[in-house]
């Protein structure tokens, strides 16, 4: 087996290509655009890319409904173009991870079209068909079952109607998955981010879920299902031949089940995306918004840090294509710069592999479109039509503004020219109105920008064994405004102090640090004259201030 531990020292950049950079001038981001921006990506101090799906797709769920696993969407380029990006990235020391979406396909995939034709062809059992549906709800669109006239049966779709679930219990389907994996691994990719992978094994008999739960009532019967480890082991064997990493997405996953995937002789996944820390201002989905609660956030962070401290390894992220922009949620658009930087440091120096989502590094924020008709994300539209529909329209729209996944999918803001330098022509989706100030070019020119702060963070993280391998300890967990944690390794320790307040706040130095001299390694305000930590046990933090102190122990 080849070495695959590289992920522990990696910093990932996630590309949702449709909105990254338009290289051929049709208003849609593509691989020509990515190729041109590789030097920019490299300049961020990252050494791996995760591509959200690049495959042919009718885009009912923007690429997560795949109609051909072994090709590139014509909007984005060709297989040759992909290979060019891959080879160039490798030359630059950047690894490439593909999205593997195998819980479901598109209903326009050849397998599904064949499966609809009847009960006894080669593809009949590729999907989950029933004469009578159970009571499961879909996560994206009404009931989880849709009737198909041609076949005269219902098919299961945990997500949108156009995303029929594959029947992973069928060994032929698993062989197809392995073929797909080999296709991309043979081309040279370095691993997979595996979409909702914890859902692929459904409980025999598909029992009814609790009737009163909206959306997720069937989840106990399809999350961490009976054969999941068995199936993942089969996929792991393929990955292992190539030394490829497997990063699983685990919606609503618990520490306990994550440990089953990540540790032990059965270890099937290298990394997992968990969601607990994305629920500090909402319940279940961002749409069910509530006031941001720092104590909740810290509890989630620390729970995962502790659980995976000895064995296992965390992913660290605050944004991706499924969540609205983090400054608009956990930070403050009014304190845009300070809070954008503080948020960068608050997660990146924890123990684990950091992921940065396109646009996060320049502090992109949520868009607020006037009409629900302007939104394109299937789940935003469902939430709008499902919850609190008696509320006045402005209230319902306010919830969309806070929660929509579309906020993370607006065109990347490269400069202050028309269409934010994303494209020469009108882009496929709305550009955020703040593009004149929030853009790469402006931030390249500003020494103190969010962008340059991200660079400092990745540099510090990658160059410090303490910040990579060191232990994690949180102080003052009950403090409602400040997050303080320590990383420690050998004789070096770091103290990371983050204010989540728009006011000045007093900060307490942990007892054992009182009187010790630390060097201020990073701060989002002009550095104080003295870089040594004050001997006073109390100190005032400015709004959204972050300080990272480095200590050398005797
Ligand atoms: C994952 C993806 C999300 C997609 C869903 C269904 O959560 O990240 O974008 O909509 O799976 O494929
Ligand atoms: Ca294009």
């Amino acid at each position: 087996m080849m070495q695959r531990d590289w992920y522990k020292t990696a910093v990932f950049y996630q590309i949702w290509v449709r909105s990254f950079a338009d290289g051929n001038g049709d208003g849609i981001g593509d691989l020509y655009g990515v190729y041109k921006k590789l030097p920019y990506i490299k300049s961020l101090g990252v050494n791996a890319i995760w591509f959200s799906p690049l495959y042919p797709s009718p885009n009912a769920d923007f690429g997560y409904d795949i109609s051909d696993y072994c090709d590139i969407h014509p909007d984005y380029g060709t297989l040759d173009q992909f290979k060019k990006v891959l080879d160039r990235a490798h030359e630059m020391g950047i690894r490439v991870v593909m999205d593997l979406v195998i819980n479901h396909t598109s209903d326009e995939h050849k397998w599904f079209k064949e499966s609809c034709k009847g009960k006894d062809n080669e593809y009949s059992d590729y999907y989950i068909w029933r004469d009578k549906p159970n009571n499961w709800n879909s996560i994206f669109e009404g009931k989880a079952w849709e009737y198909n006239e041609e076949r005269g049966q219902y098919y299961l779709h945990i997500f949108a109607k156009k995303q029929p679930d594959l029947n992973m219990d069928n060994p032929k389907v698993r062989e197809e998955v392995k073929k797909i994996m080999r296709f991309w691994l043979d081309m040279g990719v370095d691993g997979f981010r595996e979409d909702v992978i914890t859902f692929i094994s459904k409980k025999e008999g598909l029992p009814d879920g609790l009737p009163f739960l909206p959306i997720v009532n069937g989840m106990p019967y399809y999350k961490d299902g009976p054969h999941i480890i068995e199936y993942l082991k089969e996929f792991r064997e393929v990955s292992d031949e190539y030394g490829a990493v497997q990063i699983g997405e685990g919606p609503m996953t618990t520490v306990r089940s994550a440990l089953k995937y990540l540790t032990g002789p059965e270890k099937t996944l290298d990394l997992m995306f968990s969601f607990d820390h994305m629920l500090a201002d909402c319940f279940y989905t961002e749409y069910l918004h509530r006031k941001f609660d720092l104590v909740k956030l810290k509890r989630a962070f620390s729970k995962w840090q502790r659980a995976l401290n000895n064995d296992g390894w965390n992913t660290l992220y605050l944004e991706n294509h499924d969540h609205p922009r983090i400054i608009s949620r956990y930070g403050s658009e009014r304190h845009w710069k300070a809070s954008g930087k503080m948020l960068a440091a608050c997660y990146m120096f924890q123990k684990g592999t950091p992921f940065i989502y396109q646009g996060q590094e320049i502090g992109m924020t949520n868009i607020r479109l006037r009409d629900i008709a302007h939104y394109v994300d299937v789940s935003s539209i469902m939430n709008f039509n499902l919850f609190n529909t008696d509320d006045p329209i402005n209230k319902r729209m306010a919830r969309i503004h806070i929660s929509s996944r579309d906020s993370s999918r607006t065109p990347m803001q490269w400069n202050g020219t028309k269409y934010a330098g994303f494209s020469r022509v009108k882009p496929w989706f709305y550009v955020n109105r703040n593009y004149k100030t929030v853009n790469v070019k402006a931030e390249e020119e500003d020494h103190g920008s969010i962008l340059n702060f991200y660079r400092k963070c990745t540099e510090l993280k990658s160059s410090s064994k303490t910040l990579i391998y060191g232990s994690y300890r949180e102080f003052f967990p009950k403090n409602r405004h400040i997050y303080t944690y320590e990383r420690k390794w050998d004789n070096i320790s770091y103290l990371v102090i983050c204010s989540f307040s728009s006011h000045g706040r007093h900060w307490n130095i942990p007892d054992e640090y009182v009187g010790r001299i630390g060097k201020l390694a990073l701060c989002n305000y002009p550095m104080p004259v003295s870089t040594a930590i004050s001997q006073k046990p109390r100190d005032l933090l400015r709004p959204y201030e972050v300080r990272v102190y480095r200590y050398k122990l005797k």
Side-chain angles (χ1 to χ4, degrees):
M1 190 181 76
M2 283 158 70
Q3 224 263 351
R4 60 161 199 265
D5 259 15
W6 60 265
Y7 65 82
K8 291 192 176 170
T9 52
V11 180
F12 274 82
Y13 190 70
Q14 184 196 346
I15 296 183
W16 198 81
V17 74
R18 198 169 191 78
S19 286
F20 187 62
D22 175 16
N24 67 350
D26 63 356
I28 299 174
D30 51 45
L31 289 167
Y32 314 103
V34 173
Y35 189 88
K36 280 198 243 165
K37 299 297 184 188
L38 283 172
Y40 168 76
I41 294 167
K42 178 82 187 167
S43 82
L44 300 174
V46 306
N47 50 12
I49 291 173
W50 151 29
F51 278 112
S52 273
L54 300 169
Y55 321 102
S57 160
N59 282 333
D61 188 21
F62 290 101
Y64 286 89
D65 49 322
I66 297 170
S67 53
D68 183 351
Y69 287 91
C70 297
D71 205 348
I72 295 292
H73 196 304
D75 283 351
Y76 308 145
T78 60
L79 277 172
D80 277 349
Q81 186 60 26
F82 174 76
K83 184 79 173 107
K84 279 202 185 110
V85 171
L86 179 65
D87 292 345
R88 184 77 195 109
H90 281 163
E91 282 163 25
M92 295 168 79
I94 300 171
R95 314 225 189 202
V96 173
V97 162
M98 295 296 265
D99 219 308
L100 187 67
V101 187
I102 50 160
N103 178 67
H104 44 266
T105 68
S106 162
D107 66 342
E108 296 181 32
H109 194 288
K110 182 187 93 190
W111 302 336
F112 189 72
K113 288 188 192 156
E114 291 297 317
S115 198
C116 288
K117 286 185 184 158
K119 294 180 190 162
D120 53 9
N121 68 46
E122 215 188 317
Y123 298 96
S124 298
D125 296 326
Y126 268 45
Y127 296 84
I128 301 172
W129 295 97
R130 289 289 180 274
D131 294 325
K132 222 174 127 284
N134 65 12
N135 75 347
W136 294 359
N137 294 313
S138 133
I139 293 182
F140 281 175
E141 258 184 320
K143 289 280 159 204
W145 297 89
E146 188 69 8
Y147 188 70
N148 179 267
E149 293 279 350
E150 192 181 0
R151 170 135 171 178
Q153 279 187 308
Y154 293 86
Y155 66 86
L156 177 71
H157 63 90
I158 291 177
F159 292 91
K161 286 178 195 158
K162 285 182 72 63
Q163 293 171 298
D165 281 55
L166 281 164
N167 174 17
M168 209 51 74
D169 295 334
N170 181 348
K172 280 199 281 184
V173 171
R174 303 201 298 278
E175 286 314 310
E176 299 278 10
V177 171
K178 290 179 235 172
K179 254 199 258 167
I180 296 164
M181 292 174 75
R182 287 184 192 286
F183 178 85
W184 294 102
L185 291 169
D186 284 336
M187 198 181 295
V189 310
D190 301 283
F192 299 100
R193 175 269 187 188
E194 302 180 348
D195 189 66
V196 292
I197 197 69
T198 49
F199 292 1
I200 62 171
S201 163
K202 277 84 176 168
K203 175 140 175 109
E204 285 87 0
L206 311 181
D208 273 343
L210 294 171
F212 51 82
L213 276 182
I215 304 184
V216 291
N217 67 341
M219 200 176 272
Y221 305 114
Y222 59 73
K223 182 162 128 332
D224 305 323
H227 301 289
I228 178 80
I229 296 284
E230 203 180 302
Y231 300 164
L232 283 178
K233 265 200 210 151
E234 289 184 27
F235 306 153
R236 172 96 260 173
E237 268 171 36
V238 176
S239 291
D240 278 352
E241 287 172 33
Y242 297 80
V245 296
Q246 297 209 148
I247 310 170
E249 185 203 22
M252 296 181 97
T253 205
T254 59
V255 157
R256 233 177 100 204
S257 69
L259 284 169
K260 265 194 260 163
Y261 298 110
L262 294 170
T263 64
E266 300 270 86
K267 178 179 160 103
T268 46
L269 297 173
D270 300 299
L271 292 169
M272 268 187 103
F273 286 112
S274 61
F275 283 63
D276 284 346
H277 68 288
M278 299 312 289
L279 299 175
D281 66 349
C282 62
F283 174 73
Y284 168 65
T285 133
E286 286 95 346
Y287 192 77
L288 301 174
H289 185 76
R290 60 183 165 196
K291 202 162 163 266
F292 171 69
D293 180 344
L294 177 63
V295 173
K296 238 185 134 211
L297 178 67
K298 298 197 293 186
R299 214 184 292 136
F301 277 154
S302 293
K303 179 167 84 179
W304 282 86
Q305 286 291 306
R306 275 196 294 270
L308 273 57
N309 185 41
N310 297 320
D311 214 355
W313 195 260
N314 268 296
T315 59
L316 308 172
Y317 77 93
L318 288 176
E319 282 190 16
N320 62 38
H321 64 293
D322 289 332
H323 302 281
R325 296 292 182 175
I326 204 65
I327 293 179
S328 306
R329 296 180 60 183
Y330 295 0
S332 155
E333 291 184 17
R334 207 154 57 82
H335 297 276
W336 170 70
K337 213 179 207 184
S339 72
K341 294 181 190 176
M342 181 279 290
L343 287 164
C346 100
Y347 84 103
M348 218 185 279
F349 299 133
Q350 293 176 29
K351 186 171 180 181
T353 301
F355 285 71
I356 302 169
Y357 177 66
Q358 68 187 41
Q360 179 188 340
E361 77 278 17
I362 55 169
M364 282 176 66
T365 60
N366 286 355
I367 39 156
R368 296 176 179 86
L369 305 173
R370 239 182 317 114
D371 199 317
I372 187 68
H374 297 149
Y375 284 82
V376 293
D377 165 38
V378 57
S379 89
S380 307
I381 295 164
M382 184 202 66
N383 287 335
F384 184 84
N385 291 321
L386 185 68
F387 297 110
N388 307 94
T389 44
D390 292 339
D391 284 351
I393 201 75
N394 59 340
K395 233 176 152 181
R396 295 172 67 195
M397 280 315 294
R399 276 198 293 272
I400 285 291
H401 295 161
I402 286 170
S403 68
S404 177
R405 301 197 298 181
D406 282 334
S407 270
S408 59
R409 301 172 179 187
T410 62
M412 175 77 182
Q413 294 162 205
W414 294 101
N415 59 45
T417 65
K418 204 169 178 196
Y419 309 131
F422 165 77
S423 175
R424 279 178 273 131
V425 301
K426 193 166 182 234
W428 75 278
F429 196 50
Y430 301 92
V431 174
N432 193 309
R433 288 219 299 246
N434 65 15
Y435 75 94
K436 289 220 160 108
T437 43
V438 181
N439 68 62
V440 172
K441 181 155 186 289
E443 297 192 34
E444 291 282 9
E445 288 159 7
D446 171 9
H447 177 71
S449 64
I450 295 180
L451 173 59
N452 282 317
F453 193 82
Y454 265 88
R455 289 179 171 137
K456 285 184 198 153
C457 288
T458 55
E459 198 197 322
L460 183 58
K461 170 90 181 184
S462 308
S463 62
S464 159
K465 277 213 156 63
T466 306
L467 292 175
I468 296 172
Y469 299 107
S471 60
Y472 167 96
R473 179 155 60 130
E474 187 194 345
F475 296 99
F476 315 117
K478 295 208 177 99
N479 188 309
R480 287 183 296 120
H481 304 288
I482 298 167
Y483 174 36
T484 309
Y485 66 92
E486 169 205 72
R487 300 292 312 282
K488 199 168 179 178
W489 171 264
D490 273 354
N491 64 337
I492 302 290
S493 80
Y494 282 87
L495 213 47
V496 182
I497 306 124
C498 310
S499 168
F500 280 73
S501 174
S502 50
H503 306 287
R505 293 281 171 189
H506 280 288
W507 164 63
N508 291 316
I509 298 172
D511 284 347
E512 63 196 78
Y513 280 88
V514 173
R516 276 168 40 188
I517 305 294
K519 193 171 171 301
L520 190 58
L522 208 58
C523 180
N524 57 347
Y525 280 86
M527 298 267 204
V529 192
S530 149
T531 55
I533 191 165
S534 112
Q535 308 239 350
K536 279 185 290 151
R538 280 163 79 79
D539 202 350
L540 193 71
L541 293 176
R542 289 158 283 189
Y544 294 98
E545 179 163 353
V546 58
R547 296 189 203 167
V548 181
Y549 286 105
R550 182 177 188 274
Y551 295 85
K552 225 175 148 163
L553 311 171
K554 298 269 155 45

